Amino acid sequence: MEKNFITNDSVKINYIKNGVGKPIILIGGWTISVAWWQKQIESLSSKYQVIAIDPRSYGNSEKVNYGHRIARHATDIHNLLQALDLNDVTLVGWSLGANVLLAYWEIFRNNRIGRLVHIDQSPFCLNIGDWQLGACGFGDEDAAIEFCRVFGKNRENVTNQLLDNWYANPPSFNEKKWMIQEIFKTPLNAAKNLIFEHLITDWRD
């Protein structure tokens, strides 16, 4: 069932809540809406209270022209936990969502959190010097800037290529169609701001 709450900077955030028990919160990657978590929600909600969130300007959340930073997304998660009065929460973050969890830990430490689960994300996306574990394979900040420039000029092509790379078996035409529709719910400027910060921020410490 879709619900919403209001952040402390007045943004209406959409989320889905299913099941009962210990709370698990699912946070998707870059521009990824709650629609991606359908099968996980169905499976996990037989034992847990499962919540999937559309971060600000994603999916069915309110579209705003401010707060498109990873630290603000982390604060939105904290606002959700406060609104629902949840404790001992398992936060699950995929890709950019995993770095949102690192921001949460940096700002709020273990406040209301029992455990963090990171899916498919390096603590630093760039490959610089002896660090060659960058999740996206960019060599330096200039390459990240170039990616954002190309993305801004041809979002559809870049999105299509990314979707093919995200899966061991590329999605079908119909699967890709709904994925692109969901991704494009996020305004271009919000998407660009977030991905650039995601690519250049070093969380290794």
Side-chain angles (χ1 to χ4, degrees), residues 11 27 53 61 65 74 77 79 99 114 134 141 152:
V11 179
I27 304 152
I53 184 172
S61 286
N65 60 3
I77 298 297
N79 289 168
N99 280 348
E141 189 171 316

Side-chain angles (χ1 to χ4, degrees), residues 52-181:
I53 184 172
D54 279 333
R56 63 176 57 210
S57 294
Y58 285 30
N60 293 329
S61 286
E62 183 180 358
K63 308 302 182 279
V64 293
N65 60 3
Y66 59 93
H68 302 304
R69 290 176 294 277
I70 291 175
R72 181 62 247 188
H73 280 221
T75 303
D76 292 346
I77 298 297
H78 191 249
N79 289 168
L80 170 66
L81 303 188
Q82 292 173 314
L84 300 183
D85 193 24
L86 297 175
N87 291 288
D88 193 26
V89 175
T90 297
L91 286 183
V92 179
W94 168 31
S95 191
L96 186 147
N99 280 348
V100 170
L101 302 193
L102 294 179
Y104 187 104
W105 179 261
E106 187 167 76
I107 300 167
F108 303 107
R109 305 307 287 177
N110 63 342
N111 188 277
R112 297 181 178 266
I113 301 304
R115 52 208 61 81
L116 303 177
V117 179
H118 287 226
I119 300 172
D120 194 26
Q121 182 54 50
S122 168
F124 189 30
C125 288
L126 303 183
N127 289 323
I128 295 177
D130 61 358
W131 177 258
Q132 296 296 311
L133 298 175
C136 301
F138 291 108
D140 55 24
E141 189 171 316
D142 288 341
I145 292 170
E146 178 63 12
F147 172 82
C148 292
R149 185 191 69 79
V150 173
F151 172 74
K153 290 183 67 175
N154 202 331
R155 183 180 189 180
E156 188 166 356
N157 277 356
V158 171
T159 301
N160 268 290
Q161 292 171 13
L162 288 172
L163 286 173
D164 286 339
N165 291 334
W166 285 351
Y167 297 93
N169 299 309
S172 69
F173 175 83
N174 286 335
E175 287 173 329
K176 188 180 282 190
K177 183 177 180 180
W178 76 255
M179 289 175 182
I180 290 173
Q181 287 174 342

